[in-house]
Amino acid sequence: MLSASSLRSFSLQRSRVFVRLRSPTKPILSRAAPAAAEEMDSQSPSCVLVLAGKSSAETEIAKTLKSNNALKLPDNSEVRFFVHPEIQRPPSEEPFQIDLFLKSLSTNQFGRFFIWSPRLPSTHDVVSHNFCELPIGAVCAADIQSKGRGRSKNVWESPIGCLLFSFTIQMDDGKIVPLLQYVISLAITEAIKEICDKNGLPYLDVRIKWPNDLYLNGLKVGGILCTSTYKSKKFNVSAGIGLNVDNEKPTVCLNAVLRETSVASYKFTREDILAAFFNKFETLYNLFIHQGFQALEELYYKTWLHSGQRVIVQEKNGEQVVENVVSIQV
């Protein structure tokens, strides 16, 4: 039998495993948005980053980063900066509604400095490459992602209809860094629960598949990728999330399942989910840092897929690999 405590130990040993950062959707890059304002012509080879802040202090950070051209892409391609709300006609078919997101955000740190782009190679690369330039808790979101990062250096394309974002976290204790992905997974599932409760909707049973996939109706609907570097006695963590909100094929998305279970006209939006996520994450993260993962353990195990499952655990004994079949009991 694999107990909760032994599973935590097993998780720590396997913490270097990464999952695919994106929703399980077929690339539909032909749906890329047409040009909007002349200054945002889609034919331009440059990357567009729109910077925004929840408060005047974060807005000033945005203005400083723009004036200094401080944010770079890993390939050193040209970046064109705008400070929200400079853009009158967003260069996107379905632009992220920055004002709606910031209005719904109630955090003290996470999500308050926001970067949006209509198209990026990878949101994860933006925050990890510019970690030291950004305030802790800064988030980058994109409508389309062409080179999303995943497990084993997999590269993914993500179309419009996915919530794609990455954000920054800084931690002191390296021993608990591997558990952060579980807190993030839990914050997503709790955010979706809260949105359903708030709008009188039937609960969508989004589940956590260890170590960091999200499943709905037995199919993958999202995933998490966390990477970290160590600098000045701090662990700089870049966390990336992909969640399929609106793409019905080839597998499953939140709004398709919602239509099947509810007569309400409500649709999940990226803005609502992102704000609800950070509102939940900040609360859960503070519990995690001050009380340890045990404060979240019961809720986590209510949300994951694996209770009662039989799995094979591999252990190395000298030169031999021994496989044991165990049953997960939590």
Side-chain angles (χ1 to χ4, degrees), residues 17 48 115-116 127 137 149 162 166 206 245 263 271 276 299-300:
V17 173
V48 171
I115 304 170
W116 169 75
V127 300
R149 296 175 59 182
C162 298
S166 300
V206 179
V245 180
V263 297
E271 296 84 356
L299 181 60
Y300 180 84

Side-chain angles (χ1 to χ4, degrees), residues 236-286:
N236 296 334
V237 182
S238 300
I241 295 91
L243 183 66
N244 192 355
V245 180
D246 242 355
N247 292 305
E248 298 186 29
K249 295 180 180 180
T251 54
V252 67
C253 69
L254 297 181
N255 279 327
V257 175
L258 182 62
R259 285 195 301 272
E260 295 171 358
T261 57
S262 174
V263 297
S265 59
Y266 178 85
K267 287 182 62 176
F268 287 101
T269 66
R270 294 175 298 161
E271 296 84 356
D272 281 347
I273 295 173
L274 188 59
F277 165 77
F278 279 118
N279 293 341
K280 281 291 182 183
F281 174 76
E282 187 162 280
T283 298
L284 297 177
Y285 180 75
N286 287 333

Side-chain angles (χ1 to χ4, degrees), residues 177-195:
V177 169
L179 298 174
L180 178 63
Q181 60 193 349
Y182 308 151
V183 182
I184 294 171
S185 300
L186 190 56
I188 295 176
T189 61
E190 289 298 295
I192 293 171
K193 285 180 188 177
E194 183 174 271
I195 292 173

Side-chain angles (χ1 to χ4, degrees), residues 150-162:
R151 183 180 176 183
S152 301
K153 298 183 179 180
N154 286 326
V155 176
W156 295 91
E157 295 179 346
S158 300
I160 290 174
C162 298

Side-chain angles (χ1 to χ4, degrees), residues 32-236:
E38 291 183 5
E39 72 273 19
M40 310 293 284
D41 193 328
S42 64
Q43 299 304 313
S44 171
S46 61
C47 170
V48 171
L49 293 182
V50 181
L51 313 180
K54 172 75 173 176
S55 70
S56 57
E58 285 112 14
T59 302
E60 286 302 313
I61 295 174
K63 292 177 180 178
T64 300
L65 290 174
K66 176 189 175 182
S67 63
N68 294 337
N69 289 318
L71 303 183
K72 309 295 182 182
L73 296 183
D75 61 1
N76 290 319
S77 58
E78 181 185 357
V79 179
R80 304 176 70 191
F81 295 96
F82 296 83
V83 175
H84 179 72
E86 288 178 345
I87 300 176
Q88 299 301 315
R89 298 168 61 195
S92 176
E93 190 175 81
E94 300 176 28
F96 191 94
Q97 302 297 311
I98 296 174
D99 287 331
L100 292 179
F101 161 65
L102 293 176
K103 183 178 179 180
S104 299
L105 191 69
S106 60
T107 60
N108 294 316
Q109 182 179 41
F110 292 102
R112 295 177 63 90
F113 184 85
F114 183 71
I115 304 170
W116 169 75
S117 179
R119 183 186 181 99
L120 279 175
S122 167
T123 61
H124 202 84
D125 283 345
V126 171
V127 300
S128 61
H129 192 68
N130 298 284
F131 196 101
C132 295
E133 303 294 335
L134 297 170
I136 300 302
V139 56
C140 176
D143 293 347
I144 295 173
Q145 188 169 252
S146 60
K147 296 179 181 179
R149 296 175 59 182
R151 183 180 176 183
S152 301
K153 298 183 179 180
N154 286 326
V155 176
W156 295 91
E157 295 179 346
S158 300
I160 290 174
C162 298
L163 174 59
L164 308 162
F165 68 100
S166 300
F167 67 105
T168 62
I169 311 159
Q170 194 168 71
M171 303 177 69
D172 297 317
D173 186 357
K175 293 180 181 179
I176 65 172
V177 169
L179 298 174
L180 178 63
Q181 60 193 349
Y182 308 151
V183 182
I184 294 171
S185 300
L186 190 56
I188 295 176
T189 61
E190 289 298 295
I192 293 171
K193 285 180 188 177
E194 183 174 271
I195 292 173
C196 290
D197 290 341
K198 181 180 177 181
N199 293 279
L201 303 170
Y203 170 55
L204 295 192
D205 194 21
V206 179
R207 294 273 177 165
I208 300 168
K209 181 179 182 292
W210 187 88
N212 42 10
D213 280 343
L214 299 168
Y215 270 58
L216 177 60
N217 289 355
L219 296 170
K220 183 176 177 179
V221 74
I224 294 95
L225 172 72
C226 292
T227 62
S228 66
T229 58
Y230 185 69
K231 185 177 181 179
S232 301
K233 299 183 179 180
K234 298 282 186 179
F235 291 88
N236 296 334

